[in-house]
Amino acid sequence: MREELFEKFEEVFGDSRDAALYFSPGRVNLIGEHTDYNGGHVFPCALNIGTYAVARKNSQNKMNLYSMNFASMGVVSVSASEFVYKKEDDWCNYPKGVMWAFQQEGYPIASGLDILYFGNIPNGSGLSSSASLEVLTGVILKDCFGHDVDMVKISLLAQKAENQFNGVNCGIMDQFAVAMGKKDHAIFLDTADLSYTYAPIRLDHAKIVIASSNKKRGLADSKYNERRSQCETALAQIQKVKPVKNLGELTEKEFEEVKDAISDPVNIRRARHAVYENQRTIRAVQALQQGDIALFGKLMNESHVSLRDDYEVTGVELDTLVEAAWEQEGVIGSRMTGAGFGGCTVSIVEDDAIDSFIEQVGKKYQERIGYKADFYVVEIGDGARKLDTCEGGN
Ligand code: GLA
């Protein structure tokens, strides 16, 4: 992989003098969905697949960006002093957004850069390819320009880029997971104050299996923003009867006591999901710590039901994958993961059931939906980092 990336860099940019290699993972969330913009808890982990980059400074005051995944676009060159969103720049708006966010917050972009990217996260799969690309760019900027930013700050700058430059009002989960991931651990993050702990994921005789629905997400982003504003409306109405900062502060019982303050029945369901999912996440992490993986799995299943019925972000593709998974022997838990409306499911499956799981769930999906799902047995990896430098590169 390393050699191939440097070779390609040389082909595109002439030589690879002073270039270095960087990596940033994708992420999967085990439980705690649509809680991160409600001040709740999430429990994601970084994957061993992600985005690579080879990068170096240039003396042109230009950002020359090239992606092996979008080779037909060639090198996209943009000014290194002013970063403007342009639809036609497509994927480049993610790295540009991070450069913009650094500049905005007083971390100067001192020169241009030549950057080659390559990602092996399945396209549009909901495993955070955009957060991976953003955080990776943040790591490159820190390294090349010597900025004093830690990984949490990089994740916040990447989120700002996604929110304000690319117009998706996402929470902090994806960028945080990608930046702060730790091998064989999930991150129990309280999004109300960004406090977090690492929980070891010791799955004796079982693995994490991701199933990609291969459904293009289309309108996902506008629906995502709609869900977020429904939660905000519900919170504002609750605040008239109870002083809370966010939905994540409420227990189930407290929510039931105040829910009538929410005027729209749809928004009651949206807020109920946010509150119950947060409590479920806290309980799931406790279960894991007590070695009760069966309870963890059960809570994953309940999470899916709530996302399907109350939050309405699943759709027939994800429901088919999850409901087929629930019918299989050796499945400890299964749910949609990420924003929803397409994307992936995450399941915990016993080792000796994995082959038949992939075969059976794949078959049911193909029969019902009419096209294939893809399956990945994944490992939990470390967060974004510099891998090495091309010594004596030519
Ligand atoms: C997307 C967003 C995250 C989070 C999830 C849903 O992945 O980027 O911030 O809200 O959806 O849990």
Side-chain angles (χ1 to χ4, degrees), residues 319-340:
D319 288 339
T320 301
L321 285 173
V322 166
E323 284 156 22
W326 289 342
E327 289 167 10
Q328 307 304 312
E329 290 281 314
V331 173
I332 294 163
S334 184
R335 57 184 287 278
M336 60 149 269
T337 184

Side-chain angles (χ1 to χ4, degrees), residues 27 29 32-37 128 170-174 224 338-339:
R27 69 93 188 90
N29 187 24
E33 218 65 82
H34 290 279
T35 49
D36 68 341
Y37 48 85
S128 288
C170 66
I172 189 62
M173 171 171 73
D174 301 349
Y224 182 90

Side-chain angles (χ1 to χ4, degrees), residues 151-164:
M151 291 307 288
V152 172
K153 182 68 188 175
I154 289 179
S155 71
L156 288 165
L157 289 164
Q159 183 199 17
K160 177 174 174 144
E162 182 97 37
N163 291 169
Q164 295 180 27

Side-chain angles (χ1 to χ4, degrees), residues 45-113:
C45 46
L47 299 172
N48 58 349
I49 52 174
T51 319
Y52 293 83
V54 178
R56 68 162 171 216
K57 287 196 252 191
N58 65 36
S59 49
Q60 300 165 18
N61 196 37
K62 274 216 159 97
M63 295 296 172
N64 301 317
L65 310 172
Y66 179 88
S67 167
M68 289 166 69
N69 301 78
F70 297 90
S72 63
M73 281 179 70
V75 176
V76 177
S77 292
V78 300
S79 153
S81 25
E82 201 194 354
F83 301 99
V84 184
Y85 180 92
K86 281 198 191 130
K87 195 166 187 307
E88 65 271 22
D89 284 349
D90 200 70
W91 69 273
C92 295
N93 286 308
Y94 292 110
K96 271 181 3 184
V98 177
M99 293 163 187
W100 169 85
F102 267 67
Q103 206 179 43
Q104 274 257 317
E105 293 211 13
Y107 303 106
I109 306 293
S111 77
L113 297 170

